[in-house]
Short mmCIF file of all heavy atoms in Angstrom, two decimals:
data_model
loop_
_atom_site.label_atom_id
_atom_site.label_comp_id
_atom_site.label_asym_id
_atom_site.label_seq_id
_atom_site.Cartn_x
_atom_site.Cartn_y
_atom_site.Cartn_z
N THR A 1 20.70 5.21 -40.54
CA THR A 1 20.27 6.47 -39.93
C THR A 1 18.79 6.72 -40.21
O THR A 1 18.05 7.16 -39.33
CB THR A 1 21.11 7.63 -40.48
OG1 THR A 1 22.50 7.38 -40.20
CG2 THR A 1 20.71 8.95 -39.85
N GLY A 2 18.35 6.41 -41.42
CA GLY A 2 16.95 6.58 -41.76
C GLY A 2 16.05 5.63 -41.00
O GLY A 2 14.97 6.00 -40.54
N VAL A 3 16.49 4.37 -40.85
CA VAL A 3 15.72 3.39 -40.08
C VAL A 3 15.59 3.85 -38.63
O VAL A 3 14.52 3.77 -38.03
CB VAL A 3 16.37 2.00 -40.17
CG1 VAL A 3 15.70 1.03 -39.21
CG2 VAL A 3 16.29 1.46 -41.60
N ALA A 4 16.69 4.33 -38.06
CA ALA A 4 16.67 4.80 -36.67
C ALA A 4 15.71 5.97 -36.50
O ALA A 4 15.02 6.08 -35.47
CB ALA A 4 18.07 5.18 -36.22
N TYR A 5 15.65 6.85 -37.50
CA TYR A 5 14.73 7.99 -37.43
C TYR A 5 13.28 7.52 -37.37
O TYR A 5 12.49 8.01 -36.56
CB TYR A 5 14.95 8.90 -38.64
CG TYR A 5 13.91 9.98 -38.80
CD1 TYR A 5 13.72 10.96 -37.83
CD2 TYR A 5 13.10 10.01 -39.93
CE1 TYR A 5 12.76 11.94 -37.98
CE2 TYR A 5 12.13 10.99 -40.10
CZ TYR A 5 11.97 11.95 -39.12
OH TYR A 5 11.01 12.93 -39.27
N LEU A 6 12.93 6.56 -38.20
CA LEU A 6 11.56 6.06 -38.17
C LEU A 6 11.27 5.32 -36.88
O LEU A 6 10.17 5.41 -36.32
CB LEU A 6 11.29 5.17 -39.37
CG LEU A 6 10.59 5.87 -40.55
CD1 LEU A 6 11.52 6.90 -41.17
CD2 LEU A 6 10.12 4.87 -41.59
N GLN A 7 12.25 4.58 -36.38
CA GLN A 7 12.05 3.86 -35.11
C GLN A 7 11.76 4.83 -33.97
O GLN A 7 10.94 4.54 -33.10
CB GLN A 7 13.29 3.03 -34.79
CG GLN A 7 13.46 1.79 -35.67
CD GLN A 7 14.75 1.06 -35.39
OE1 GLN A 7 15.71 1.64 -34.85
NE2 GLN A 7 14.82 -0.21 -35.74
N SER A 8 12.41 5.97 -33.98
CA SER A 8 12.25 6.93 -32.88
C SER A 8 11.01 7.81 -33.04
O SER A 8 10.66 8.56 -32.13
CB SER A 8 13.49 7.82 -32.77
OG SER A 8 13.65 8.59 -33.95
N ASN A 9 10.34 7.71 -34.19
CA ASN A 9 9.14 8.52 -34.43
C ASN A 9 8.01 7.64 -34.96
O ASN A 9 7.24 8.05 -35.84
CB ASN A 9 9.44 9.63 -35.44
CG ASN A 9 10.42 10.64 -34.93
OD1 ASN A 9 10.06 11.59 -34.25
ND2 ASN A 9 11.69 10.44 -35.24
N SER A 10 7.89 6.44 -34.39
CA SER A 10 7.00 5.44 -34.96
C SER A 10 5.51 5.70 -34.70
O SER A 10 4.67 4.99 -35.23
CB SER A 10 7.36 4.06 -34.40
OG SER A 10 7.29 4.05 -32.98
N ASN A 11 5.18 6.71 -33.91
CA ASN A 11 3.78 6.97 -33.60
C ASN A 11 3.27 8.31 -34.14
O ASN A 11 2.20 8.78 -33.74
CB ASN A 11 3.55 6.92 -32.09
CG ASN A 11 3.77 5.53 -31.53
OD1 ASN A 11 3.34 4.55 -32.12
ND2 ASN A 11 4.47 5.45 -30.41
N GLY A 12 4.02 8.93 -35.03
CA GLY A 12 3.60 10.24 -35.50
C GLY A 12 4.06 10.55 -36.90
O GLY A 12 4.36 9.65 -37.70
N LEU A 13 4.15 11.84 -37.21
CA LEU A 13 4.55 12.28 -38.53
C LEU A 13 6.06 12.24 -38.68
O LEU A 13 6.81 12.55 -37.74
CB LEU A 13 4.06 13.71 -38.79
CG LEU A 13 2.55 13.93 -38.85
CD1 LEU A 13 2.25 15.41 -39.08
CD2 LEU A 13 1.91 13.08 -39.94
N VAL A 14 6.51 11.85 -39.88
CA VAL A 14 7.93 11.90 -40.21
C VAL A 14 8.09 12.66 -41.53
O VAL A 14 7.17 12.70 -42.35
CB VAL A 14 8.55 10.49 -40.34
CG1 VAL A 14 8.54 9.77 -39.00
CG2 VAL A 14 7.83 9.66 -41.40
N VAL A 15 9.24 13.27 -41.70
CA VAL A 15 9.50 14.04 -42.91
C VAL A 15 10.91 13.76 -43.39
O VAL A 15 11.82 13.50 -42.58
CB VAL A 15 9.30 15.55 -42.64
CG1 VAL A 15 10.26 16.06 -41.56
CG2 VAL A 15 9.46 16.36 -43.93
N MET A 16 11.09 13.81 -44.68
CA MET A 16 12.42 13.63 -45.27
C MET A 16 12.56 14.57 -46.46
O MET A 16 11.59 14.82 -47.19
CB MET A 16 12.65 12.18 -45.71
CG MET A 16 11.65 11.67 -46.70
SD MET A 16 11.05 9.99 -46.38
CE MET A 16 10.26 10.12 -44.78
N GLY A 17 13.74 15.15 -46.61
CA GLY A 17 14.03 15.98 -47.77
C GLY A 17 14.70 15.15 -48.84
O GLY A 17 15.21 14.07 -48.58
N GLY A 18 14.69 15.66 -50.07
CA GLY A 18 15.33 14.95 -51.16
C GLY A 18 16.02 15.91 -52.12
O GLY A 18 15.49 17.00 -52.42
N ALA A 19 17.20 15.52 -52.60
CA ALA A 19 17.96 16.37 -53.52
C ALA A 19 18.75 15.50 -54.48
O ALA A 19 19.17 14.39 -54.12
CB ALA A 19 18.90 17.30 -52.75
N VAL A 20 18.94 15.99 -55.68
CA VAL A 20 19.85 15.35 -56.62
C VAL A 20 21.25 15.84 -56.26
O VAL A 20 21.53 17.04 -56.33
CB VAL A 20 19.51 15.71 -58.08
CG1 VAL A 20 20.50 15.04 -59.04
CG2 VAL A 20 18.08 15.27 -58.41
N THR A 21 22.11 14.93 -55.85
CA THR A 21 23.41 15.31 -55.28
C THR A 21 24.56 15.14 -56.26
O THR A 21 25.73 15.19 -55.85
CB THR A 21 23.67 14.49 -54.01
OG1 THR A 21 23.43 13.10 -54.27
CG2 THR A 21 22.77 14.94 -52.88
N THR A 22 24.27 14.98 -57.54
CA THR A 22 25.33 14.85 -58.55
C THR A 22 25.21 15.95 -59.60
O THR A 22 25.61 15.76 -60.76
CB THR A 22 25.25 13.47 -59.22
OG1 THR A 22 23.89 13.20 -59.61
CG2 THR A 22 25.72 12.37 -58.27
N LEU A 23 24.68 17.10 -59.23
CA LEU A 23 24.42 18.16 -60.19
C LEU A 23 25.70 18.87 -60.63
O LEU A 23 26.53 19.25 -59.81
CB LEU A 23 23.47 19.20 -59.57
CG LEU A 23 22.06 18.69 -59.20
CD1 LEU A 23 21.28 19.82 -58.53
CD2 LEU A 23 21.33 18.18 -60.42
N ALA A 24 25.83 19.07 -61.95
CA ALA A 24 26.92 19.90 -62.49
C ALA A 24 26.49 21.35 -62.58
O ALA A 24 27.33 22.25 -62.63
CB ALA A 24 27.33 19.38 -63.86
N LYS A 25 25.19 21.59 -62.64
CA LYS A 25 24.60 22.94 -62.71
C LYS A 25 25.16 23.75 -63.88
O LYS A 25 25.66 24.86 -63.72
CB LYS A 25 24.82 23.68 -61.39
CG LYS A 25 24.16 23.01 -60.20
CD LYS A 25 24.30 23.82 -58.92
CE LYS A 25 23.59 23.12 -57.75
NZ LYS A 25 23.70 23.89 -56.50
N GLY A 26 25.06 23.14 -65.06
CA GLY A 26 25.48 23.83 -66.27
C GLY A 26 24.55 24.96 -66.63
O GLY A 26 23.40 25.03 -66.20
N LEU A 27 25.05 25.89 -67.46
CA LEU A 27 24.28 27.07 -67.82
C LEU A 27 23.14 26.75 -68.78
O LEU A 27 22.17 27.50 -68.86
CB LEU A 27 25.20 28.13 -68.44
CG LEU A 27 26.30 28.69 -67.52
CD1 LEU A 27 27.17 29.67 -68.28
CD2 LEU A 27 25.69 29.34 -66.30
N THR A 28 23.25 25.65 -69.51
CA THR A 28 22.23 25.32 -70.50
C THR A 28 21.63 23.94 -70.33
O THR A 28 20.60 23.63 -70.94
CB THR A 28 22.80 25.42 -71.92
OG1 THR A 28 23.91 24.52 -72.06
CG2 THR A 28 23.27 26.85 -72.22
N ASP A 29 22.23 23.09 -69.52
CA ASP A 29 21.78 21.70 -69.41
C ASP A 29 20.93 21.49 -68.16
O ASP A 29 21.33 21.85 -67.06
CB ASP A 29 22.98 20.74 -69.36
CG ASP A 29 23.79 20.77 -70.65
OD1 ASP A 29 23.19 21.01 -71.71
OD2 ASP A 29 25.01 20.55 -70.59
N ASN A 30 19.77 20.86 -68.35
CA ASN A 30 18.93 20.47 -67.23
C ASN A 30 19.40 19.15 -66.63
O ASN A 30 19.96 18.30 -67.33
CB ASN A 30 17.47 20.32 -67.68
CG ASN A 30 16.84 21.64 -68.08
OD1 ASN A 30 17.06 22.65 -67.43
ND2 ASN A 30 16.06 21.62 -69.14
N GLU A 31 19.17 18.98 -65.34
CA GLU A 31 19.44 17.71 -64.65
C GLU A 31 18.34 17.53 -63.61
O GLU A 31 18.49 17.96 -62.47
CB GLU A 31 20.80 17.74 -63.95
CG GLU A 31 21.99 17.95 -64.85
CD GLU A 31 23.26 18.20 -64.04
OE1 GLU A 31 23.89 17.22 -63.61
OE2 GLU A 31 23.59 19.39 -63.83
N PHE A 32 17.25 16.92 -63.99
CA PHE A 32 16.13 16.82 -63.05
C PHE A 32 15.51 15.43 -63.05
O PHE A 32 15.63 14.65 -64.00
CB PHE A 32 15.07 17.88 -63.36
CG PHE A 32 14.45 17.77 -64.74
CD1 PHE A 32 13.47 16.82 -65.02
CD2 PHE A 32 14.85 18.63 -65.76
CE1 PHE A 32 12.90 16.72 -66.27
CE2 PHE A 32 14.28 18.54 -67.03
CZ PHE A 32 13.30 17.58 -67.28
#
């Protein structure tokens, strides 16, 4: 899917978001 996105926008700007997708979101523990 990512390759197809770049192929379809090969002459201009592209953007991608990023997230940590395994977060437990504890009250005291960092995960970064």
Side-chain angles (χ1 to χ4, degrees):
T1 302
V3 171
Y5 170 62
L6 263 68
Q7 287 176 338
S8 63
N9 295 275
S10 57
N11 294 317
L13 295 179
V14 294
V15 60
M16 58 223 61
V20 179
T21 49
T22 48
L23 297 177
K25 298 184 179 180
L27 296 178
T28 59
D29 296 330
N30 292 320
E31 299 171 84
F32 60 79

